[in-house]
Each structure stands twice: as C-alpha cells, then as structure tokens.
Amino acid sequence: MPLTEKQILEWLDEVKDPEIPVLSLVDLGVITGISIPDSTTVSIEMTPTFVGCPALDMMKNDVIAVLKKKGVQQVNVEISFKKSWTSDKISEKGRKALKQFGLAPPPAGKVLLEDLDILEHVPCPRCNGTNTQLKNPFGPTLCRSIHYCNDCHEAFEQFKPV
Ligand SMILES: [Zn+2]
C-alpha cells in the first residue's frame, strides 16, 4: 500500500508529548510538514514548541521509532525554526485532552501576552470558573504556568499561550 500523508498523520497520532501523555504531537501542532519523496522514505518537519524544550530529542526519536515500527524504511526528521509554533496550533481535540488531563488549555486564537487579564484569570479546568489567580509564570516545565482556583481551592497548571 503506498504511503499517504493521511496515513502518516494517523500513525503519528500515536506519538504523545513526553510530558503530557494524553496529547499527541499531531494535536500539539508540532508536525508542520510531511513529505514522501519515494515509496520507502518519509520526511517529517517538526517545529518545536519552545526553543530548547528538553523533550525535543525524545519526540524526534519517538517519531522515528513509530514510523519504523509501521514499516517505513527511511525516516528523516528535520527540526525547523522557519515557522514559529504558537499555542493556537493546538487542535480542538488537543485542547479537550489537555483539559481532561487537568491542564488548562491555552486560549484559542491569538493572544496578546500583554493581556494580563487572560493570563491571570485562566479558566479552571475543574470548574471552568475564572475566579483564579496566577501563582507562578514558570511551572515545572517551561511550557506551563501555575494558577490557583479560588473556588476549588486547588492549584492547577496551564499550558502557556505563546
Ligand atoms: Zn475551580
């Protein structure tokens, strides 16, 4: 069966973000190019979410491993900085997955980082309330910030908008 871009995307859906096991790289929006130069070769372009994200090498190796497992003989992964990743590249399915994981998804669409109101009143993934406050803009990883919900009296993390 000839390889198609659609098939490759389906296979890549198995590759999850190492830090967020419910979110695939496809839903995260980091797979920015797929080409199939010949019947045994697949070239993938990945745009990293955050420059220097330590998970990048792991993601790259996972992409190669999954495609090889599916029978692709030659897999090339190119890390590209031509386009910059923005959090609105996260798919609708990805946003839902983040929320179920207990991580507030970044707001959809373009966000002005100056818009502190959005950052300070991130909807709580448990109760959807916006009676929340920003506790720490730097969570356990570069990609997350820590918030506190005044209604649930619990802290939660947000996948930061960029
Ligand atoms: Zn809450």
Side-chain angles (χ1 to χ4, degrees):
M1 206 177 68
L3 292 167
T4 62
E5 194 180 318
K6 186 168 168 281
Q7 179 66 75
I8 304 292
L9 272 176
E10 266 169 39
W11 286 341
L12 288 180
D13 202 45
E14 289 180 22
V15 188
K16 308 297 182 193
D17 182 315
E19 284 161 3
I20 310 167
V22 294
L23 186 64
S24 79
L25 297 192
V26 175
D27 286 322
L28 183 58
V30 299
I31 306 292
T32 47
I34 294 176
S35 61
I36 305 162
D38 63 61
S39 60
T40 57
T41 309
V42 171
S43 298
I44 306 289
E45 181 192 271
M46 282 176 67
T47 300
T49 51
F50 291 88
V51 175
C53 201
L56 190 61
D57 273 341
M58 204 188 284
M59 292 184 190
K60 183 177 164 177
N61 291 337
D62 286 351
V63 164
I64 294 172
V66 163
L67 293 182
K68 291 227 159 167
K69 201 176 74 194
K70 299 293 184 185
V72 180
Q73 288 173 26
Q74 181 65 40
V75 182
N76 307 316
V77 178
E78 186 204 340
I79 306 297
S80 167
F81 294 95
K82 278 180 287 184
K83 298 163 224 166
S84 56
W85 180 88
T86 55
S87 45
D88 57 357
K89 286 198 166 64
I90 301 179
S91 71
E92 197 48 47
K93 183 171 145 243
R95 280 173 209 287
K96 288 208 183 91
L98 279 176
K99 198 172 161 188
Q100 278 166 5
F101 189 59
L103 202 56
K110 277 272 164 259
V111 177
L112 295 173
L113 281 182
E114 308 84 82
D115 194 345
L116 286 177
D117 202 49
I118 287 183
L119 294 178
E120 293 206 2
H121 300 288
V122 171
C124 167
R126 287 188 200 89
C127 67
N128 292 318
T130 51
N131 184 15
T132 66
Q133 49 185 299
L134 177 64
K135 277 286 188 204
N136 186 342
F138 303 101
T141 75
L142 274 176
C143 330
R144 303 188 204 175
S145 50
I146 299 176
H147 302 259
Y148 185 80
C149 177
N150 296 321
D151 293 330
C152 299
H153 304 287
E154 275 191 73
F156 65 92
E157 292 172 17
Q158 186 198 25
F159 198 98
K160 275 199 281 195
V162 287

